Amino acid sequence: MKYKSVFDIIGPVMIGPSSSHTAGAARIGRVARSLFNRKPDWAIVSLYGSFAKTYKGHGTDVAIIAGLLDFDTSDPRLPEAMDIAKKENMNVTFVEEEAVTDHPNTARIKMGDSEGEMELVGISIGGGKIEILELNGFELRLSGHHPAILVVHDDKFGAIASVSNVLAAHQINIGHMEVSRKEVGSTALMTIEVDQNIGQDILDEITQLDHVTRVTKIAD
């Protein structure tokens, strides 16, 4: 792996003890919260590999809960996240899984409330960096370290080009884009990381495009 700066090696400003097991876990939880767009009433967190073996000692469970509460890695409230979650009636259950995954620091979060549910899989790759690999059954690759939009759309000709054209018209540069679909001609998910935060007016414009059903933003 290539590092762009010393901060990729030593990790982010954070409440410890571990950049991969604490800061990375908190970021997975916070991206999940951002995608869900509200505080969940409940969450079931399945931990795999090293996460499952050491999560209590490294505070992985506390960190994920902190992320679900929308706390940053350096938030002084992070160590008290479990107590805060209980006070806010957010019920979080942790499950130690024995299945072997491609990455040792893997978490699957299923969360919801009376309005809906969401499920994602995230990995902590070191130095506080993460990747989201799955969202509601769609495969993707989302770092969580750049502004991004997720566009749910029909798998139709021209859908990708129409979204790209809107971003180009507003001089929004695309840093990374991936498209995932469960089957040809069904629903697809467009993951677009960009160089700057996107305003609500642009999101509304994309939402109104043909074949687009939902747009979710992740701010940097």
Side-chain angles (χ1 to χ4, degrees), residues 32-39 111 118 214 216-217:
R33 165 66 180 261
S34 179
L35 290 170
F36 196 59
N37 203 31
R38 57 190 183 276
K39 180 175 70 69
M111 52 199 284
M118 187 189 79
R214 182 182 177 188
T216 303
K217 179 178 77 168

Side-chain angles (χ1 to χ4, degrees), residues 2-19:
K2 294 182 179 179
Y3 296 98
K4 296 180 179 180
S5 75
V6 66
F7 295 105
D8 292 340
I9 301 173
I10 65 175
V13 177
M14 52 168 273
I15 304 295
S18 168
S19 62

Side-chain angles (χ1 to χ4, degrees), residues 94-173:
F94 289 88
V95 180
E96 300 174 27
E97 299 284 0
E98 297 183 357
V100 177
T101 56
D102 292 336
H103 194 281
N105 300 328
T106 300
R108 178 182 293 273
I109 302 177
K110 185 174 182 180
M111 52 199 284
D113 58 15
S114 59
E115 297 180 23
E117 298 182 4
M118 187 189 79
E119 185 172 6
L120 64 72
V121 175
I123 60 174
S124 176
I125 60 177
K129 289 183 173 294
I130 69 166
E131 288 184 358
I132 304 301
L133 303 181
E134 183 180 320
L135 175 64
N136 290 338
F138 288 103
E139 294 182 358
L140 70 159
R141 189 175 178 180
L142 178 67
S143 72
H145 291 271
H146 303 283
I149 58 171
L150 277 68
V151 182
V152 179
H153 60 97
D154 299 331
D155 184 27
K156 301 291 186 180
F157 176 83
I160 298 172
S162 63
V163 174
S164 299
N165 288 338
V166 170
L167 296 177
H170 291 277
Q171 300 183 340
I172 303 294
N173 189 48

Side-chain angles (χ1 to χ4, degrees), residues 15-214:
I15 304 295
S18 168
S19 62
S20 60
H21 286 67
T22 313
R27 282 181 165 165
I28 292 172
R30 198 176 189 200
V31 170
R33 165 66 180 261
S34 179
L35 290 170
F36 196 59
N37 203 31
R38 57 190 183 276
K39 180 175 70 69
D41 289 339
W42 58 267
I44 300 173
V45 183
S46 299
L47 300 174
Y48 300 81
S50 180
F51 266 4
K53 294 177 182 178
T54 66
Y55 75 95
K56 291 182 179 179
H58 284 167
T60 304
D61 48 353
V62 176
I64 288 178
I65 291 174
L68 294 176
L69 290 168
D70 203 25
F71 296 170
D72 195 6
T73 56
S74 60
D75 195 308
R77 297 172 294 175
L78 193 151
E80 310 301 325
M82 280 191 171
D83 292 336
I84 295 172
K86 290 179 181 179
K87 291 178 182 178
E88 296 188 8
N89 296 317
M90 187 175 75
N91 182 31
V92 185
T93 302
F94 289 88
V95 180
E96 300 174 27
E97 299 284 0
E98 297 183 357
V100 177
T101 56
D102 292 336
H103 194 281
N105 300 328
T106 300
R108 178 182 293 273
I109 302 177
K110 185 174 182 180
M111 52 199 284
D113 58 15
S114 59
E115 297 180 23
E117 298 182 4
M118 187 189 79
E119 185 172 6
L120 64 72
V121 175
I123 60 174
S124 176
I125 60 177
K129 289 183 173 294
I130 69 166
E131 288 184 358
I132 304 301
L133 303 181
E134 183 180 320
L135 175 64
N136 290 338
F138 288 103
E139 294 182 358
L140 70 159
R141 189 175 178 180
L142 178 67
S143 72
H145 291 271
H146 303 283
I149 58 171
L150 277 68
V151 182
V152 179
H153 60 97
D154 299 331
D155 184 27
K156 301 291 186 180
F157 176 83
I160 298 172
S162 63
V163 174
S164 299
N165 288 338
V166 170
L167 296 177
H170 291 277
Q171 300 183 340
I172 303 294
N173 189 48
I174 296 174
H176 178 79
M177 174 189 284
E178 288 193 3
V179 179
S180 174
R181 59 187 182 184
K182 296 179 181 179
E183 59 183 58
V184 177
S186 184
T187 303
L189 175 67
M190 203 182 311
T191 305
I192 307 173
E193 291 189 340
V194 294
D195 291 343
Q196 68 247 50
N197 286 320
I198 297 177
Q200 187 60 46
D201 57 334
I202 301 175
L203 297 179
D204 292 341
E205 188 175 342
I206 294 173
T207 302
Q208 294 170 8
L209 294 172
D210 291 340
H211 308 305
V212 171
T213 56
R214 182 182 177 188

